[in-house]
Amino acid sequence: MRRSLVVAILVGVAMVSLSGSAAAADLIIDVSGPEEAVAGEELEIIATVRDAVSGGPVEGVPLVFSSNAFFGGVTGEIRLGAVVSNNLGVATYTTAFTVRGIHQVRVEIEDDPETERAAVTIGVDIGSQIVGAEAGISIPGLGSWFITAVIAAVWVIMIVAALWLVRVSRSGRDDARADEEEGPPRGRRRRAFNLAPIVVGVMTVLALGLVAVLMRSPDTHHNFDPEGYDRSPVAYLDAAYVYPGLGLADIGSLTGEAVGDGRTLFLKLGCAGCHGLNAQGGASAGSPAFATRQWLGTVARTGLPGGMPAYSEADLSDAELDAIHAFLLDARDVLADESDRDDADAAATTTTEAEAASTTTMASGGEQAAPSFAEVQEILQADCSACHGAFGGWSAADYDSVVESGDNGPAVIPGDADNSLLAQKLLGTQSSGSVMPPGGSLADSDIQVIIDWIEAGATP
Amino acid sequence: MLALMPLAAARASMTRHNRREFKTWLFADGVRSVDRRTALRLFGVAAVFGGVTQVVPRTLRTALAQTPTAQTNELPLRARTRQWTMIIDLRSCDGCQSIGLPPQCTTACIEGHFTPDPMQWIEVFEHELPGDGTRFIPTPCQQCQNPPCVNVCPVAATFSTPEGPVLIDQDRCIGCRICMAACPYDRRFFNWGDPPVPPEALLADYDLELQVPARKGTVMKCDFCPDMVRSGTLPYCIQGCPHSAIYYGDLEEDYATNGRELVSISRFLANNDGFRLKEELGTQPRVFYIPGHGEEVGRDPTNTGFLPIRWPWTRLAEGSARWDR
Amino acid sequence: MSTWREELEEATLEPARTTTRNYYLVIGVLLAVIAWALYAYFVQLRDGLVVTGMSDRISWGLYITMFVFFIGISHAGTLISAILRVANATWRTPVTRMAEFITAVALMTGALFVIVDLGRPDRFLHVLIYGRWQSPIVWDVTAVTIYLTASLLYLYLPMIPDLAFFRDRLKGQVAGWKSSLYRILAINWKGTDGQKQQLHSSISIMMILIIPIAVSVHTVVSWIFAMTLREAWNSAIFGFFFVAGAIFSGIASLIIMMALLRRVYRLENFLTLQHFRYLGFLMAAMAGVMLYANISEYVTAGFKFEEGSEFIFRQLFVAEFAPYFWFYLIGGLIFPIVLMSIRRMRSIGGIVTAAVFVAVAMWVERYFIVVTGLRAPLLPYEPANYAPTWVEWSITAGGFAFFALLVTLFVKIFPIMAVYEIVEEREGQETSHRAYEAEIASSGSLTQ
């Protein structure tokens, strides 16, 4: 008995391990789909899994379908869904594409990076509106005619009542005239001022006015009717629009003087909305004042994902960019003065460590005590977060992202400044990419603060 | 007068005798016998009146209808309009506690639009969770598809656009504030006095998609930044959020982005149990929420409170009024 | 011609003939209050609505309270003049003129307060140029315009014979412009049978038409609140509730007005205790209706206690607004019923006291309906508080003064008693009474 039990256990373990390794055996994925489709049209993407060795179908394999996408300046891969292959090794994924263009659908096995991915390309054409939201209730036949009819009926009855007044006054005048023996009727009539027709007239005017008001009213309860009551430009898919900006200055007032013109353009083109009225930066974007002319040109022409618009040559010429840069240079000095004042002002909202950091930043680096992260963050917020905030890659937002984030592994190795990518980039000794900030414009004292901080252990 | 013409004609065509009978029959002195001609005339009057009230309003309406005041875009062949939407991932929202600043979405919006003090077009509210703790819910205008504010406005100053956002025309608003009473999310704000805005803002060309500068005596609110998103720039609040918790997207295209990553809206919401605020009211808002309490950015739900918002304009705008909400 | 008719005519002519010094004093005081209110409005126009106590959270206050209150008072005329005329209640005749006039004046004052409340009054014509018929405010503008026209017409029509009476009797006794005014307004009234019949037809149309118009007016005013999603306002019976409240407050203001004029112009023989009693009973009956409406609302809501109800009940029953609510309930609804039930308290003084309580209580009720409805927080924030400023109080006082001024001017120019109707009704009674006696005398017994 005991022996058979041991054998059973051993066989079971062997089976389990063998089946596990069977899953790790080479598999090949084939995927097919329609070559062309229309946006919104449901289509099927069929993936087949077969064993590389035997060529037979494999059941129970979880397949993940994903696709590329681009929106709002951000590219990415969307995970569409997961389907488990059936006994024929087939996994069918039904979906509809909503965007025109070439879509590549990739299929891979879940949690299995070794098996090669398969892909199929589907061309999607424009199609018609998919999401057509309705709002409110639309009762057929019920329109302004109904309320107009009711109001008109009430007024008609009132005017009829007022018309009796005319009869009263007229009959009174007839009787009076019948009593008179002398005097020209015409003279008499001119003196007698008859109020009743005026009452009727006023009421009629009021009635018509109200009815006109009711009948002119728009149907704004119908929300998606551009022809009916459209007062705004409409955003269509596949159309390109230029960012209009806030228009805070009159473009016609360009004088030829660089700094002033630069400021006018900075306000007119909408830069001030994110970068502040004096290019001091804000919550949406940091200060661009310390950018070089080259960097300014690059960013302005290509934009940055997540917010910074791209301005073409037609919308923003190179000469205008020169003027803006002159304004930014001027703003640099203003900012340096103001940061002293602001440090005192901001005492209420920043942490006490930041307060202490602000005074130590003014002194040059190389103190006895190691710099705190608050001091480092001060520098990073001022000089790096303009680009390294919400736009991807390494982020200067908080301690964790400063140390960990980025496309090239951890940016900070505590205690080792020479091998920390952050320090390397500041010093120009990095292994990938270019020196940061572009042009190497970070002050030496600031770089020293950061290096000291890393060397001291990069404490939060 | 058109409606009276049949009555006048009927009266004029009657003899004096018929007129008296008509009058006595009509004015409740007991039902007298009425001759057939009078009865027929009465029915004729009623029929003409009924026809007039059907046809005349419609023709007059076409003639009197208000013309659109702005150019309408030429509709390209088989074009599709965007359907803007916002998804706020509450798993990443901690009220900006971790960065030690006031909520940055609100701050970014204020800076971008020169929003008068004390308006917060997107406002962070702290909701209590069952059990212990709270969560933060940044609440912009919900851009409802069945908007109570649009329904009650007497002058059509607030209206829905084909892409979804509800806008306000501050040139037409009369300041009656019935829209503010009607909004169930408290997302509309009134300029009670001369709004404190910086002097530069007064130079802006007012456009109803920018709402800059603010006008005394009118209503304002979040507008989903339609001028920016048309060109691919993301709204201020999305740009300002340090944890990238707010996504902005297009329901028509089914994509949304927070500036860093891209999601498929339908899948994102389905997989993460998306919800909307006050769903039972039937306003059908376009702002979705993913339930959470800031756990993705390391917030403990019992860590309550966030820093108060600051407006830079009060210092810059001399002679302006300031009021409390 | 009986002496009571001469008395009636003299009593009606007297105010138009002579003006006492007290009258000018009253006019002076009212004008001073109005002037101060105009200055306050100028301040509001210059600085914006920030000078009031309203805020984003409580965006309606005293002005809308006054608007609803005055539109409510305007239902006095409709009830007395129209409904009682349709029901052929003959005791109404001495009271009709004042009631009809209160309607017209109250409507004008109420409409003014809406314009005062606007953030951009320079754009109020937008409602006419760009009006949307789907909006409760446009329904309100339409209904109030129709009601104002109808009530002015309904005031004018029965006044024509009295104006003719003034035209004939006051020739040479009053200023020239007054004589011309009476002559023009009397539109050749000669008192012929034909004219009487025509006027009777015209009044008959209006008396029936004006009842649904009046009901619709305060219903659409209530729908300005009931068409929103605010917890306290989202009630199906708001229309009915407001109309009942309007009739209720209208009767109370009519009683007060009657008592004042009776004292000042010595109309004791015509506005008797019986008239006050009838109106007092009507008022008590309406108080009962209002109690029923209030019970319906609060019991059905309180039994279930849905989300948000707790805050509303708390602020109204026990916390910030408790004094207002309980004063309204006890002083405004229960007190009139109690007073009219006790025989000894049914004196003119008692009834007028009850009417004053009712008028004040209904004003308070409008106030807390507006403010408590807006005060309940829609999202988790601290509820705001509303405290009216001197600007709002000044303009409110100006509104009351404007109402009083118009009434005072009316009393001086137009006949305050509906002489023609009173005489017609009384003579009709006497005729039928004499006919009845003659019949008895001729037949010799009561049965035939």
Side-chain angles (χ1 to χ4, degrees):
Chain A
M1 264 294 271
R2 209 181 297 152
R3 205 191 321 160
S4 51
L5 188 64
V6 168
V7 168
I9 292 173
L10 282 171
V11 167
V13 169
M15 278 180 68
V16 167
S17 57
L18 280 172
S19 63
S21 63
D26 282 337
L27 298 167
I28 297 180
I29 311 172
D30 296 315
V31 60
S32 70
E35 273 187 21
E36 282 175 5
V38 173
E41 177 195 347
E42 228 176 49
L43 43 84
E44 286 183 348
I45 300 167
I46 303 170
T48 319
V49 186
R50 52 191 170 85
D51 191 272
V53 172
S54 64
V58 184
E59 189 183 347
V61 177
L63 291 167
V64 174
F65 295 75
S66 54
S67 167
N68 61 323
F70 174 81
F71 181 77
V74 178
T75 43
E77 189 165 306
I78 305 273
R79 181 193 150 111
L80 296 174
V83 186
V84 175
S85 63
N86 61 10
N87 59 338
L88 298 172
V90 172
T92 309
Y93 183 69
T94 314
T95 184
F97 284 104
T98 53
V99 191
R100 181 172 78 159
I102 314 281
H103 291 266
Q104 193 189 62
V105 179
R106 292 182 280 281
V107 186
E108 58 187 344
I109 299 178
E110 190 154 15
D111 297 330
D112 183 6
E114 290 169 2
T115 310
E116 203 176 311
R117 299 214 279 191
V120 64
T121 308
I122 304 173
V124 177
D125 201 5
I126 189 163
S128 51
Q129 189 88 15
I130 300 170
V131 177
E134 274 294 326
I137 308 171
S138 190
I139 300 176
L142 183 70
S144 62
W145 70 266
F146 173 71
I147 193 171
T148 311
V150 170
I151 305 296
V154 171
W155 276 102
V156 161
I157 297 176
M158 282 207 293
I159 292 174
V160 165
L163 278 175
W164 289 112
L165 265 185
V166 177
R167 300 194 65 191
V168 164
S169 76
R170 216 181 281 153
S171 65
R173 192 175 58 205
D174 290 342
D175 287 346
R177 232 184 288 143
D179 291 341
E180 282 162 23
E181 293 172 47
E182 64 211 38
R186 204 158 287 161
R188 272 284 181 192
R189 214 178 300 154
R190 210 181 289 140
R191 239 183 62 188
F193 172 77
N194 202 348
L195 184 66
I198 294 180
V199 168
V200 174
V202 166
M203 287 174 67
T204 311
V205 166
L206 270 177
L208 288 175
L210 264 182
V211 162
V213 165
L214 292 174
M215 289 199 300
R216 283 187 78 225
S217 86
D219 288 327
T220 50
H221 210 276
H222 298 274
N223 294 335
F224 305 106
D225 184 17
E227 314 65 82
Y229 199 60
D230 178 53
R231 287 186 297 180
S232 62
V234 180
Y236 298 106
L237 267 149
D238 301 322
Y241 301 93
V242 174
Y243 174 51
L246 284 168
L248 293 184
D250 183 11
I251 201 93
S253 63
L254 292 177
T255 56
E257 186 260 322
V259 173
D261 283 355
R263 178 147 205 277
T264 304
L265 288 161
F266 190 80
L267 294 175
K268 170 75 183 168
L269 294 169
C271 318
C274 291
H275 293 292
L277 286 170
N278 299 307
Q280 77 273 17
S284 344
S287 169
F290 297 93
T292 58
R293 173 65 181 88
Q294 183 199 21
W295 180 237
L296 176 68
T298 311
V299 173
R301 289 270 177 261
T302 60
L304 284 172
M308 176 66 197
Y311 295 91
S312 65
E313 176 76 37
D315 302 317
L316 182 60
S317 69
D318 283 329
E320 289 170 337
L321 275 171
D322 289 334
I324 292 178
H325 187 67
F327 161 67
L328 291 178
L329 285 173
D330 187 67
R332 245 184 245 190
D333 304 325
V334 177
L335 278 178
D337 295 335
E338 274 203 2
S339 72
D340 300 349
R341 247 184 292 132
D342 274 349
D343 288 337
D345 277 351
T349 53
T350 54
T351 61
T352 46
E353 292 145 304
E355 231 182 284
S358 66
T359 48
T360 52
T361 320
M362 294 319 296
S364 58
E367 299 158 316
Q368 293 290 334
S372 66
F373 178 65
E375 298 172 46
V376 170
Q377 190 174 38
E378 184 85 4
I379 300 167
L380 296 178
Q381 296 259 322
D383 297 308
C384 312
S385 62
C387 301
H388 288 285
F391 302 148
W394 176 76
S395 167
D398 51 48
Y399 174 78
D400 283 326
S401 53
V402 167
V403 174
E404 298 286 327
S405 69
D407 298 324
N408 295 305
V412 172
I413 299 168
D416 185 359
D418 291 334
N419 290 316
S420 294
L421 187 58
L422 175 61
Q424 287 173 351
K425 274 199 167 292
L426 293 174
L427 294 168
T429 60
Q430 72 284 357
S431 49
S432 69
S434 55
V435 67
M436 280 288 128
S441 51
L442 194 63
D444 286 338
S445 57
D446 290 341
I447 298 178
Q448 191 61 45
V449 168
I450 296 175
I451 291 174
D452 287 342
W453 172 70
I454 299 175
E455 287 288 316
T459 51
Chain B
M1 269 322 182
L2 278 162
L4 290 176
M5 270 160 54
L7 267 175
R11 239 185 75 229
S13 68
M14 290 184 204
T15 61
R16 211 179 174 81
H17 169 73
N18 285 351
R19 253 183 256 172
R20 193 181 296 279
E21 286 210 352
F22 171 82
K23 183 188 79 183
T24 51
W25 181 85
L26 207 54
F27 293 120
D29 271 0
V31 178
R32 303 284 169 84
S33 63
V34 167
D35 71 337
R36 204 174 49 194
R37 284 174 91 195
T38 319
L40 280 173
R41 284 205 179 96
L42 199 57
F43 283 125
V45 164
V48 172
F49 184 71
V52 152
T53 53
Q54 286 284 328
V55 170
V56 169
R58 239 168 260 173
T59 44
L60 277 177
R61 182 184 167 77
T62 331
L64 293 168
Q66 302 182 43
T67 49
T69 53
Q71 295 174 318
T72 55
N73 275 356
E74 284 296 315
L75 221 80
L77 281 167
R78 298 184 297 159
R80 294 151 63 194
T81 54
R82 300 273 190 186
Q83 300 293 316
W84 301 122
T85 184
M86 203 184 269
I87 307 172
I88 302 184
D89 191 348
L90 299 178
R91 299 171 299 188
S92 303
C93 176
D94 64 348
C96 293
Q97 283 174 340
S98 57
I99 60 168
L101 288 174
Q104 292 294 286
C105 49
T106 312
T107 309
C109 173
I110 289 171
E111 290 169 358
H113 287 108
F114 307 108
T115 316
D117 184 357
M119 300 187 188
Q120 296 182 43
W121 296 354
I122 179 168
E123 188 167 355
V124 173
F125 289 107
E126 193 167 0
H127 292 241
E128 282 187 5
L129 291 169
D132 219 4
T134 61
R135 66 176 169 185
F136 296 108
I137 302 190
T139 316
C141 167
Q142 304 286 296
Q143 313 292 352
C144 308
Q145 289 165 212
N146 181 20
C149 55
V150 170
N151 292 346
V152 295
C153 179
V155 292
T158 187
F159 59 102
S160 292
T161 56
E163 310 102 307
V166 174
L167 299 181
I168 305 176
D169 184 356
Q170 273 97 19
D171 281 330
R172 193 183 276 203
C173 175
I174 60 174
C176 69
R177 310 189 297 288
I178 188 175
C179 58
M180 293 173 68
C183 177
Y185 304 100
D186 191 50
R187 297 288 86 216
R188 294 176 77 96
F189 308 83
F190 191 66
N191 286 298
W192 297 94
D194 271 318
V197 289
E200 291 86 350
L202 297 171
L203 296 167
D205 295 323
Y206 171 78
D207 186 89
L208 47 82
E209 293 190 332
L210 289 179
Q211 298 184 81
V212 177
R215 307 253 180 96
K216 179 173 84 171
T218 60
V219 176
M220 308 179 91
K221 68 174 185 69
C222 158
D223 55 3
F224 265 21
C225 299
D227 55 321
M228 293 169 78
V229 294
R230 242 199 313 279
S231 61
T233 311
L234 290 175
Y236 296 109
C237 48
I238 281 90
Q239 295 188 47
C241 179
H243 305 304
S244 304
I246 311 182
Y247 292 78
Y248 196 86
D250 178 12
L251 287 167
E252 181 67 15
E253 240 190 303
D254 205 33
Y255 292 141
T257 180
N258 61 358
R260 280 203 219 165
E261 48 177 68
L262 208 59
V263 295
S264 160
I265 293 176
S266 50
R267 295 169 181 90
F268 189 49
L269 290 174
N271 292 334
N272 298 303
D273 304 316
F275 70 95
R276 297 189 289 194
L277 291 179
K278 301 202 186 194
E279 184 81 48
E280 70 279 3
L281 294 179
T283 51
Q284 298 182 57
R286 284 173 178 267
V287 178
F288 297 89
Y289 292 89
I290 308 288
H293 54 267
E295 62 267 28
E296 299 264 321
V297 291
R299 176 177 171 259
D300 186 89
T302 55
N303 188 9
T304 59
F306 56 89
L307 291 165
I309 304 285
R310 295 165 73 207
W311 287 259
W313 319 130
T314 328
R315 188 165 43 90
L316 290 171
E318 289 181 17
S320 64
R322 204 206 158 272
W323 56 85
D324 291 319
R325 281 207 68 204
Chain C
M1 285 249 273
S2 46
T3 49
W4 75 265
R5 178 169 179 169
E6 282 175 353
E7 239 185 278
L8 170 66
E9 290 178 351
E10 281 309 307
T12 311
L13 287 167
E14 188 62 33
R17 251 193 229 134
T18 57
T19 310
T20 61
R21 206 181 48 177
N22 282 342
Y23 182 80
Y24 286 117
L25 198 65
V26 167
I27 296 273
V29 166
L30 292 175
L31 279 177
V33 174
I34 292 176
W36 177 250
L38 283 173
Y39 168 67
Y41 187 55
F42 161 73
V43 170
Q44 182 180 297
L45 280 178
R46 181 191 66 199
D47 295 337
L49 283 163
V50 67
V51 299
T52 67
M54 294 186 277
S55 59
D56 281 343
R57 297 247 152 90
I58 302 189
S59 50
W60 280 338
L62 268 189
Y63 296 147
I64 297 295
T65 305
M66 289 291 280
F67 158 68
V68 179
F69 179 69
F70 273 106
I71 303 289
I73 284 184
S74 73
H75 283 58
T78 320
L79 171 70
I80 303 304
S81 275
I83 297 180
L84 292 182
R85 193 191 292 268
V86 169
N88 211 15
T90 50
W91 60 270
R92 74 175 194 286
T93 42
V95 168
T96 52
R97 182 58 42 75
M98 266 340 292
E100 287 153 12
F101 189 66
I102 288 178
T103 301
V105 173
L107 278 175
M108 286 189 244
T109 316
L112 277 180
F113 270 98
V114 188
I115 298 180
V116 165
D117 184 65
L118 287 180
R120 295 298 300 249
D122 55 312
R123 292 180 184 171
F124 84 94
L125 282 176
H126 281 197
V127 183
L128 300 175
I129 305 172
Y130 302 115
R132 264 182 85 238
W133 68 269
Q134 297 95 331
S135 164
I137 290 195
V138 171
W139 304 339
D140 190 48
V141 167
T142 310
V144 169
T145 310
I146 293 179
Y147 191 34
L148 184 59
T149 314
S151 67
L152 281 172
L153 191 63
Y154 193 56
L155 167 69
Y156 176 53
L157 284 171
M159 201 160 60
I160 292 173
D162 298 327
L163 286 166
F165 163 67
F166 265 35
R167 173 196 63 190
D168 297 332
R169 288 285 290 270
L170 289 177
K171 228 179 277 194
Q173 296 179 18
V174 291
W177 65 271
K178 265 193 192 174
S179 296
S180 306
L181 183 71
Y182 297 140
R183 197 188 65 242
I184 292 171
L185 287 176
I187 51 166
N188 300 323
W189 178 263
K190 290 288 181 283
T192 61
D193 281 338
Q195 281 186 324
K196 281 188 189 174
Q197 218 172 11
Q198 287 157 359
L199 192 67
H200 179 71
S201 308
S202 189
I203 293 178
S204 304
I205 299 177
M206 285 312 298
M207 80 180 177
I208 297 181
L209 185 67
I210 206 167
I211 297 174
I213 291 178
V215 169
S216 75
V217 166
H218 224 247
T219 307
V220 298
V221 167
S222 79
W223 283 348
I224 290 178
F225 304 105
M227 294 299 168
T228 67
L229 290 163
R230 300 266 171 175
E231 181 89 31
W233 294 346
N234 197 2
S235 159
I237 68 167
F238 242 48
F240 159 75
F241 181 51
F242 268 54
V243 172
I247 297 175
F248 185 45
S249 56
I251 299 175
S253 56
L254 180 61
I255 291 176
I256 298 171
M257 189 75 54
M258 267 170 52
L260 273 171
L261 289 175
R262 181 175 179 271
R263 173 72 60 87
V264 172
Y265 291 112
R266 288 188 288 277
L267 302 167
E268 288 87 353
N269 287 336
F270 312 103
L271 293 171
T272 63
L273 173 64
Q274 206 52 31
H275 291 98
F276 281 90
R277 285 236 173 102
Y278 283 141
L279 283 175
F281 280 129
L282 269 176
M283 193 169 73
M286 291 312 298
V289 171
M290 290 292 286
L291 256 182
Y292 175 60
N294 274 118
I295 290 172
S296 301
E297 273 211 74
Y298 292 125
V299 166
T300 52
F303 190 86
K304 294 168 286 196
F305 245 42
E306 271 180 275
E307 169 85 43
S309 299
E310 201 255 337
F311 181 89
I312 292 166
F313 272 86
R314 176 184 303 279
Q315 67 172 353
L316 203 56
F317 279 57
V318 295
E320 296 87 357
F321 289 88
Y324 302 99
F325 179 71
W326 292 111
F327 168 72
Y328 154 74
L329 197 65
I330 297 175
L333 298 187
I334 298 182
F335 174 53
I337 297 176
V338 164
L339 185 131
M340 291 310 294
S341 321
I342 302 174
R343 189 175 294 270
R344 194 129 42 103
M345 301 193 69
R346 279 187 227 142
S347 62
I348 293 187
I351 294 173
V352 171
T353 312
V356 168
F357 267 86
V358 167
V360 174
M362 285 312 290
W363 190 92
V364 164
E365 188 246 10
R366 306 302 191 209
Y367 174 77
F368 72 65
I369 281 184
V370 170
V371 177
T372 61
L374 288 169
R375 193 164 170 271
L378 298 161
L379 287 170
Y381 50 79
E382 281 302 304
N385 285 312
Y386 170 64
T389 58
W390 72 272
V391 169
E392 289 172 284
W393 287 119
S394 307
I395 296 181
T396 303
F400 280 116
F402 179 69
F403 178 80
L405 181 72
L406 283 180
V407 172
T408 317
L409 288 174
F410 177 84
V411 157
K412 190 51 56 180
I413 301 175
F414 295 107
I416 54 170
M417 299 289 279
V419 174
Y420 174 73
E421 280 186 62
I422 299 174
V423 169
E424 189 187 39
E425 180 263 318
R426 177 82 170 244
E427 283 179 349
Q429 261 188 13
E430 282 178 355
T431 315
S432 65
H433 187 73
R434 259 183 261 129
Y436 175 64
E437 281 183 333
E439 201 180 312
I440 294 176
S442 68
S443 68
S445 74
L446 285 166
T447 55
Q448 192 78 18

